[in-house]
């Protein structure tokens, strides 16, 4: 499976989704920003809730990040109707500005995953590659059937807009 997705109203960059193996799901997107900005946007609690909110109508009132190998992270999203959705994990590898490896657990029927995010910069543009490794093909396929590509695309579009905002140089 390889698909692309973007925000048709903005004509912005495409996010390319693929399943490179039976256990993996991958998202690749280029951003018009240095990799340091992308890394910080993924690892600093003042930035993550500004963009990682998935579909419209959700906010992130809880964003806890202990950025060290073995450190925990926890995000809680809240829907307009007041219902919450939580995920948490642990940092396994941190290579500043280049790579993050974390575990991710949603709880309930969803098995934990290992997520690797890489940041490669060329001429001030950064390609983000996120690979999510599931414990089984069935788990991967169940997750991708939830519409996660749509939510990821919305979040990546928000991230692109956030990185392009006038506040960005002061924030990073």
């Amino acid at each position: 499976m390889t698909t692309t997705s973007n925000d048709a109203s903005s004509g912005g960059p495409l996010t390319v989704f693929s399943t490179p193996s039976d256990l993996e799901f991958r998202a690749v997107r280029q951003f018009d920003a240095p990799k340091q900005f992308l890394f910080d946007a993924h690892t600093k609690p003042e930035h993550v809730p500004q963009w990682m909110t998935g579909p419209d109508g959700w906010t992130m009132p809880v964003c806890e990040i202990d950025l060290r190998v073995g450190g925990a992270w926890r995000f809680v999203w809240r829907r307009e109707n007041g219902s919450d959705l939580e995920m948490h994990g642990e940092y396994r590898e941190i290579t500043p500005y280049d790579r993050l490896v974390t575990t991710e657990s949603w709880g309930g029927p969803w098995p934990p995953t290992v997520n690797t995010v890489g940041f490669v910069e060329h001429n001030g543009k950064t390609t983000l590659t996120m690979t999510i490794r599931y414990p089984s093909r069935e788990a991967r396929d169940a997750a991708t059937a939830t519409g996660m590509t749509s939510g990821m695309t919305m979040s990546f579009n928000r991230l692109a807009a956030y990185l392009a905002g006038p506040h960005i140089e002061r924030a990073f």
Side-chain angles (χ1 to χ4, degrees):
M1 166 203 112
T2 298
T3 61
T4 57
S5 180
N6 74 341
D7 178 357
S9 66
S10 72
L14 295 178
T15 304
V16 177
F17 299 104
S18 64
T19 51
S21 77
D22 283 348
L23 301 180
E24 294 175 317
F25 172 85
R26 182 169 291 150
V28 179
R29 169 85 175 248
Q30 186 177 76
F31 293 89
D32 190 14
K35 66 182 180 177
Q36 177 183 347
F37 289 8
L38 269 289
F39 185 87
D40 287 350
H42 279 79
T43 60
K44 293 188 175 182
E46 64 267 28
H47 299 306
V48 176
Q50 305 302 317
W51 65 271
M52 193 188 289
T53 54
D56 291 336
W58 290 83
T59 60
M60 185 185 287
V62 178
C63 178
E64 299 168 351
I65 295 174
D66 180 8
L67 188 62
R68 62 184 175 83
V69 173
W73 61 270
R74 179 175 165 256
F75 303 151
V76 177
W77 289 270
R78 183 158 297 137
R79 198 174 191 174
E80 290 173 324
N81 68 9
S83 63
D84 286 350
L85 178 65
E86 177 182 339
M87 75 173 171
H88 60 275
E90 180 180 292
Y91 290 98
R92 288 191 171 175
E93 180 184 330
I94 302 166
T95 304
Y97 315 126
D98 290 325
R99 180 176 154 104
L100 290 169
V101 179
T102 66
T103 60
E104 178 181 293
S105 180
W106 289 88
W110 300 104
T113 61
V114 175
N115 302 351
T116 302
V117 182
F119 308 91
V120 176
E121 183 179 344
H122 184 69
N123 293 330
K125 295 182 186 289
T126 301
T127 300
L128 177 148
T129 301
M130 176 185 296
T131 303
I132 303 170
R133 185 170 180 82
Y134 293 88
S136 69
R137 181 180 186 156
E138 294 76 22
R140 183 204 65 190
D141 292 350
T144 58
T146 66
M148 68 187 253
T149 58
S150 176
M152 288 177 79
T153 298
M154 289 179 203
S155 288
F156 284 160
N157 289 341
R158 278 191 205 95
L159 177 56
Y162 183 66
L163 292 168
H167 62 282
I168 210 61
E169 286 185 33
R170 290 187 307 276
F172 290 89

